[in-house]
Amino acid sequence: MKKTVMLVVATFSAMSIFGMGVFDFFGLGSGGSSGGVKPQNKEEYVTVNGGTFNMGEDPDGQGKNVHAETVGTFVMSATEITVGKYAKVTGKTRNWYADDSDANDKNLPVTATWEESLEFCNALSKKDGLTPCYSSKKNPRTGKLEYTWNKSANGWRLPTEAEWEYAAKGGINKDGFFFSGSDEPNDVAWYNKNADHKIHVVATKKPNSLGIYDMTGNMTEWCWDEADNFGGIVLKGGTVNDGFWSNEDILVTARSKGRKEMTPADCQPNYIGFRIVRSVFEE
């Protein structure tokens, strides 16, 4: 089964992990990191066992926008893709940060357009000997790129919104926290009240119960899904809301259920990154 998403081309350009440590997989070295804090040396990927969960948010307790969603088992990167990992796979260096983060720190999450995220997934799939998930072609009538996901492919890809939210909520553990891994944002998130207006290196806060980091706060992340309105793509996590750190209410911008959307061609991806998943197929 295939799904097609149309994308206006943006003006900005877009190994096997098994047996590796987290620093090798994510392109992290033992060198310095933002604020002198080093990433925690944990597993580089997490298997998220499939299941059914209540997806969506219910701000007024009326059950609106909440529905049962079932996802299959998948493997997810424990952190957002870093500057170092992105450079290893693509040979490109990204430093789009608009604040005074140390953009040369390879432990920082990389910033990327949606298109670049898909291209990274395909490149890593090829390096790992997996079948790439995405193909693209230019529509001669509209001039837009059309991206197609081959759902039978075993390569790396962006998570669906459902997969992302399921993992943020702890998967089958059904954590029940307001944020991913805790009811206390300082435990698990870099956000406007503790981040000093900077993006921070990955895995420097506590993970959720699955061992996944930074799904609340820090970098906003691309999903695969096309949003309902205007051809935007769903964004999850992070603290961006109409401008970096502009919304003082982390409860709005960083909850594990929240969502945003952005048209890839119109975005400046200063604070948008991504993490990757791949499907686990039954033998």
Side-chain angles (χ1 to χ4, degrees), residues 119-133:
E119 291 174 350
F120 173 91
C121 290
N122 277 353
L124 182 58
S125 296
K126 292 175 182 177
K127 284 181 176 288
D128 287 348
L130 303 171
T131 302
C133 289

Side-chain angles (χ1 to χ4, degrees), residues 112-176:
T113 66
W114 187 72
E115 181 183 27
E116 288 169 332
S117 302
L118 303 184
E119 291 174 350
F120 173 91
C121 290
N122 277 353
L124 182 58
S125 296
K126 292 175 182 177
K127 284 181 176 288
D128 287 348
L130 303 171
T131 302
C133 289
Y134 301 119
S135 59
S136 65
K137 63 180 180 179
K138 191 172 184 178
N139 185 313
R141 183 176 61 83
T142 64
K144 297 177 181 179
L145 281 181
E146 296 180 347
Y147 277 86
T148 301
W149 168 21
N150 178 1
K151 293 188 177 182
S152 64
N154 64 352
W156 296 104
R157 56 181 176 81
L158 295 181
T160 64
E161 181 182 11
E163 289 170 332
W164 196 101
E165 186 172 321
Y166 179 69
K169 292 179 176 179
I172 60 174
N173 297 336
K174 297 182 179 179
D175 291 343

Side-chain angles (χ1 to χ4, degrees), residues 12-222:
F12 24 78
S13 58
M15 75 192 141
S16 175
I17 67 173
F18 301 101
M20 289 186 175
V22 66
F23 295 107
D24 291 329
F25 173 69
F26 290 114
L28 305 179
S30 58
S33 56
S34 179
V37 181
K38 294 182 179 179
Q40 301 179 52
N41 190 7
K42 300 296 183 181
E43 293 297 324
E44 69 270 22
Y45 65 93
V46 172
T47 298
V48 182
N49 293 314
T52 300
F53 74 110
N54 290 327
M55 182 176 176
E57 54 186 331
D58 185 17
D60 55 8
Q62 301 298 312
K64 298 177 181 178
N65 304 318
V66 177
H67 62 279
E69 188 75 28
T70 299
V71 299
T73 298
F74 57 95
V75 173
M76 174 176 270
S77 57
T79 76
E80 295 145 336
I81 298 301
T82 64
V83 170
K85 179 65 176 178
Y86 190 87
K88 275 189 174 183
V89 173
T90 67
K92 300 176 182 178
T93 301
R94 298 304 308 271
N95 55 354
W96 280 74
Y97 296 107
D99 62 18
D100 58 348
S101 296
D102 182 1
N104 294 318
D105 193 329
K106 59 186 177 181
N107 299 332
L108 287 165
V110 74
T111 61
T113 66
W114 187 72
E115 181 183 27
E116 288 169 332
S117 302
L118 303 184
E119 291 174 350
F120 173 91
C121 290
N122 277 353
L124 182 58
S125 296
K126 292 175 182 177
K127 284 181 176 288
D128 287 348
L130 303 171
T131 302
C133 289
Y134 301 119
S135 59
S136 65
K137 63 180 180 179
K138 191 172 184 178
N139 185 313
R141 183 176 61 83
T142 64
K144 297 177 181 179
L145 281 181
E146 296 180 347
Y147 277 86
T148 301
W149 168 21
N150 178 1
K151 293 188 177 182
S152 64
N154 64 352
W156 296 104
R157 56 181 176 81
L158 295 181
T160 64
E161 181 182 11
E163 289 170 332
W164 196 101
E165 186 172 321
Y166 179 69
K169 292 179 176 179
I172 60 174
N173 297 336
K174 297 182 179 179
D175 291 343
F177 296 121
F178 196 81
F179 306 105
S180 182
S182 177
D183 285 327
E184 171 51 58
N186 284 302
D187 290 344
V188 293
W190 292 110
Y191 68 109
N192 51 1
K193 294 182 180 179
N194 67 6
D196 193 27
H197 291 252
K198 296 179 181 179
I199 293 295
H200 287 255
V201 302
V202 300
T204 50
K205 289 290 187 177
K206 294 179 181 179
N208 69 5
S209 65
L210 295 175
I212 302 175
Y213 296 84
D214 302 314
M215 298 196 85
T216 297
N218 218 28
M219 186 73 80
T220 298
E221 301 175 22
W222 292 114

